[in-house]
Amino acid sequence: PRSTIMAIPSLFHVALFATALGVSALDDTADICSKSATGLSDGQLAVTCYSGNFLTKMLGELNQGQNKTAEHVRVHLLPYLGGNMTLAALQVDSPDDPTCTVCYTDKDTSVGLTSLRNSLTPEQITAYDSLGVCYARLTEAIMLALPKSPCGVWLRATPEVTPYDQVLAMMKGIFGEAVNPSLCPQ
């Protein structure tokens, strides 16, 4: 059986892949939720649109000079990708609970990430939620694909590649190794 997460592209490969797709590295206006702009299937588009809502914002901040650790991004990305269940868990979860899902409590983060989620259309949210995405696997795959410092602690800015190009290439790489867009085993 195929592994749901295999080789994740390096920053060089992300930029090369974006170029090979014919996506302009100078065009930062492209819509990560557009089927015609991305060329993705419906399931892939739902996952890319939802995760891209978070990732294009974060990568844009990084490219504008905001330093971010990989762990900082991971602890925000996982509850966002988990949807309503994990966003609600941010209100009450604790690392003392061996069945915790996000394993920390931060009401402000819950409000902020819920607001980001709600910036998508109801149809976009429903398309993502209906897939039953294995959000922990998706978080892992994305975190592996993000460019990092040699020590792995800091995310690296890539101003020569737009956030749109980075996200599209990253997600196409992840889908190329996945059994299905939800990243769940069959």
Side-chain angles (χ1 to χ4, degrees):
R2 250 176 113 174
S3 169
T4 57
I5 301 173
M6 293 173 71
I8 303 297
S10 68
L11 171 62
F12 171 76
H13 291 106
V14 167
L16 186 62
F17 190 57
T19 303
L21 291 172
V23 179
S24 167
L26 301 175
D27 180 12
D28 62 357
T29 61
D31 182 0
I32 200 68
C33 295
S34 166
K35 187 169 188 150
S36 62
T38 62
L40 297 171
S41 70
D42 289 343
Q44 292 172 344
L45 181 63
V47 173
T48 300
C49 174
Y50 188 87
S51 60
N53 190 44
F54 177 102
L55 292 168
T56 56
K57 176 183 179 299
M58 183 275 298
L59 290 167
E61 293 167 352
L62 197 63
N63 286 348
Q64 291 172 2
Q66 292 184 25
N67 291 325
K68 295 181 184 286
T69 64
E71 185 61 15
H72 171 83
V73 171
R74 190 192 68 74
V75 300
H76 288 83
L77 182 61
L78 183 125
Y80 177 78
L81 294 178
N84 283 330
M85 177 193 69
T86 50
L87 292 170
L90 279 171
Q91 300 280 333
V92 297
D93 241 359
S94 167
D96 295 334
D97 178 358
T99 64
C100 63
T101 54
V102 295
C103 303
Y104 72 102
T105 300
D106 189 329
K107 292 178 170 86
D108 290 340
T109 296
S110 177
V111 169
L113 292 175
T114 299
S115 177
L116 182 63
R117 174 183 163 88
N118 291 337
S119 70
L120 293 167
T121 68
E123 295 80 16
Q124 290 166 334
I125 294 169
T126 298
Y128 177 80
D129 288 349
S130 70
L131 291 174
V133 172
C134 287
Y135 67 91
R137 289 179 183 269
L138 180 57
T139 301
E140 254 181 71
I142 289 170
M143 292 308 301
L144 283 171
L146 288 170
K148 295 174 196 67
S149 63
C151 66
V153 172
W154 297 95
L155 293 184
R156 279 196 353 228
T158 55
E160 68 280 4
V161 183
T162 68
Y164 169 88
D165 289 347
Q166 290 177 63
V167 171
L168 184 57
M170 180 188 328
M171 296 308 295
K172 283 189 175 193
I174 290 168
F175 294 136
E177 299 298 332
V179 177
N180 59 56
S182 74
L183 271 69
C184 297
Q186 290 193 352

